[in-house]
Amino acid sequence: MKTEDVPQDDNYTLGGHRKGVYARDAAGRMVLVSSRGWEVEEIVTDQALHTLASQAAQAHARALSGLAAPLEYWMYARRMDPELLAQTTGLWRWRVRRHLRAEIFARLSPALLQRYADALGLPPAQLATLPPQP
Amino acid sequence: MTFQHQHAAHCESGTIANLLRHHGAQVSEPLAFGASAALGFAYLPFIRLNGLPLIAYRAQPRAIIKGTAAAFGTRFRFERFSRPAEGQRRLDELLAQGQVVGLQTSVFWLPYFPETMRFHFNAHNLLVYGKEGDDYLISDPVAEDPQRCAAADLARARFARGVLAPRGLLYYPAHAPRAEIDPTRLAPAIRKTARNLLAPLPLIGVRGMRTLAARIARLDPRDARSSPFIGHLVRMQEEIGTGGAGFRFLYAAFLQEADARLPGQGLAGFAAELMEIGDAWRDFALAAARMVKGRDALDPPAIAALLRAQAAREETFFRALLRAV
């Protein structure tokens, strides 16, 4: 890739940042060039973000209809899944899955709530609430 | 001495180059990347990130730091902590002594990253070069300019849990590095890289690429999970730490620098050839992204064939490189 071919596609996913990429200058030397992004990267990052957002939206809907605890929504909103939340809290995965059920969540001890709150970086009281929109 | 931040393509090679340069070493990011034999490939389906397999295009975390330090005749002190408060106290102590300190962190909890780039990846590297009030002054090599981060956020990023948990890891050189790289280190590092890519193991190097190609070829185009799998592959390759093409270009830059120190081995020619291989990785990423976006029909066997072609090219390339040095 030549320096003048380094993509400058203004990826929204870079949030205005520029990333460093190596490319060949006119003298044939590899040099660092700042890039405003490549569309290919935007496509795949957008796909990953979209997957996470739709998981959060589905969990939001489940929590609104009482099928799941709001904890499930907060887990996905923090870009986690049951496996990662289990690793982060130090709990077994099957326990985390169980705690995502509304009736089980309602009986969680303050100590367990605090563990989830720490893992998700939220105040414990917020775990039982939902924002109006996902 | 005031600290000079420099933008880089990859976090670990950029961090270590910035840190050793601060200690007077003549080191660029490509030199650090190549001297530590960081280029590689590993397909690790048993390590899952958000349900998708880990595809690594580089040596394991800290290999670049250790390898570069050795090439410059020094080594690093690594410290981990069981409690965030201890980790912060030690960081403050080292800063007060005038050290610039390297940290391993999660990306997700760093507020200066754009929201769209904050994923749970725990092996990010950055430097802390000062503190003002409650804010740490951060040199993050993947950012163009120095950043600031509040103490509570940095503590969270340092003590994130999960795969590759940093456990508060901080590091700094045990003693001053040499000003110039030990040139006898270059040829062994190049041979090690070539051998890593040619390893006789099914998940590593060009064989790992072929195993991954076989996995891709089995994807069902009608399965809703197939497109995210291919997208994930490209994201691991190009977006996160600039795996495929980016690392080939970075290694080509290293081969050019190595050519100046080891003349007569034809390394400049290898650099030129690797640039072409890197361009082909970009073509691969483009073809995959067009399918993800729906501009072309999802065709897993076609993606697998492109990946096998890359494996074949790299096998030829690294066999020749191994013979040359």
Side-chain angles (χ1 to χ4, degrees):
Chain A
M1 182 170 59
K2 296 181 191 157
T3 49
E4 62 266 31
D5 298 333
V6 170
Q8 304 288 352
D9 292 348
D10 287 316
N11 287 15
Y12 89 86
T13 48
L14 284 178
H17 287 246
R18 294 199 297 176
K19 60 190 281 181
V21 296
Y22 285 86
R24 194 180 50 186
D25 70 8
R29 280 186 312 259
M30 294 303 271
V31 293
L32 191 77
V33 178
S34 294
S35 164
R36 294 196 305 278
W38 184 25
E39 193 198 2
V40 162
E41 294 166 352
E42 186 177 78
I43 288 170
V44 294
T45 301
D46 182 65
Q47 182 190 38
L49 291 169
H50 186 79
T51 303
L52 292 163
S54 75
Q55 283 171 330
Q58 285 165 20
H60 191 270
R62 274 195 295 275
L64 273 184
S65 58
L67 291 171
L71 177 61
E72 190 193 18
Y73 164 75
W74 288 113
M75 172 180 79
Y76 285 121
R78 290 302 203 194
R79 297 184 181 164
M80 293 191 185
D81 57 11
E83 185 161 351
L84 186 55
L85 186 56
Q87 287 166 351
T88 311
T89 51
L91 299 170
W92 293 96
R93 208 179 342 170
W94 65 267
R95 283 191 81 191
V96 170
R97 288 233 168 82
R98 208 168 150 265
H99 295 160
L100 300 180
R101 284 160 53 189
E103 73 279 14
I104 307 286
F105 179 84
R107 300 200 305 262
L108 285 191
S109 68
L112 272 173
L113 282 178
Q114 188 62 49
R115 261 165 107 158
Y116 282 115
D118 289 343
L120 296 167
L122 293 167
Q126 201 175 330
L127 295 179
T129 66
L130 274 181
Q133 295 296 320
Chain B
M1 187 170 123
T2 56
F3 176 78
Q4 293 287 322
H5 170 78
Q6 209 163 307
H7 196 196
H10 174 64
C11 70
E12 191 170 330
S13 49
T15 294
I16 194 67
N18 279 338
L19 182 49
L20 289 181
R21 210 181 297 113
H22 178 69
H23 287 275
Q26 298 283 323
V27 56
S28 65
E29 180 190 18
L31 192 61
F33 188 79
S36 57
L39 187 68
F41 181 89
Y43 166 52
L44 305 174
F46 43 85
I47 302 180
R48 304 223 142 226
L49 303 169
N50 284 79
L52 292 161
L54 180 65
I55 303 164
Y57 289 82
R58 43 157 292 188
Q60 74 278 15
R62 287 187 294 133
I64 302 179
I65 299 168
K66 289 181 180 171
T68 308
F72 279 85
T74 184
R75 61 195 171 75
F76 272 74
R77 292 230 165 83
F78 294 95
E79 296 177 17
R80 290 193 150 104
F81 306 88
S82 48
R83 285 202 305 274
E86 282 171 47
Q88 183 172 338
R89 190 191 54 74
R90 181 64 177 145
L91 175 60
D92 290 345
E93 190 176 272
L94 288 166
L95 290 173
Q97 292 168 13
Q99 287 277 4
V100 174
V101 183
L103 298 180
Q104 183 186 333
T105 69
S106 152
V107 168
F108 183 81
W109 298 103
L110 292 174
Y112 61 81
F113 263 75
E115 177 68 24
T116 45
M117 297 299 282
R118 290 171 64 181
F119 294 94
H120 291 282
F121 173 67
N122 277 337
H124 186 60
N125 284 276
L126 51 82
L127 295 174
V128 181
Y129 63 94
K131 192 175 186 184
E132 277 180 19
D134 188 50
D135 278 357
Y136 287 99
L137 307 180
I138 307 262
S139 159
D140 188 320
V142 302
E144 277 187 285
D145 302 307
Q147 305 290 328
R148 300 173 82 95
C149 184
D153 292 322
L154 189 64
R156 192 167 271 288
R158 293 177 66 195
F159 288 90
R161 301 222 235 163
V163 177
L164 302 172
R167 290 184 285 138
L169 182 77
L170 62 76
Y171 48 89
Y172 52 95
H175 51 84
R178 303 160 52 122
E180 264 289 329
I181 192 166
D182 176 356
T184 64
R185 294 274 183 170
L186 291 171
I190 294 171
R191 283 196 293 272
K192 184 178 174 192
T193 302
R195 278 195 291 262
N196 283 345
L197 269 298
L198 300 169
L201 299 167
L203 300 178
I204 307 292
V206 294
R207 284 173 191 240
M209 292 174 202
R210 291 188 179 121
T211 304
L212 177 58
R215 174 72 192 87
I216 293 167
R218 287 200 307 274
L219 290 173
D220 179 352
R222 288 157 303 182
D223 188 331
R225 286 167 300 182
S226 295
S227 172
F229 188 98
I230 290 173
H232 170 74
L233 167 70
V234 176
R235 207 159 67 81
M236 292 281 119
Q237 182 186 315
E238 298 303 327
E239 184 81 301
I240 300 183
T242 74
F247 278 2
R248 270 66 193 172
F249 296 144
L250 185 50
Y251 201 74
F254 161 71
L255 289 175
Q256 289 185 336
E257 287 199 34
D259 183 61
R261 292 175 171 89
L262 299 173
Q265 315 234 22
L267 293 179
F270 282 105
E273 196 179 333
L274 192 56
M275 289 177 212
E276 287 178 25
I277 294 177
D279 285 337
W281 277 107
R282 284 172 58 78
D283 297 340
F284 167 82
L286 179 63
R290 288 184 60 86
M291 292 183 196
V292 166
K293 189 79 178 169
R295 289 180 195 155
D296 293 329
L298 197 64
D299 186 355
I303 295 289
L306 286 173
L307 188 54
R308 282 197 196 95
Q310 284 304 95
R313 278 185 93 161
E314 297 214 337
E315 183 167 8
T316 308
F317 176 84
F318 284 105
R319 283 200 193 291
L321 185 62
L322 195 55
R323 276 196 302 274
V325 291

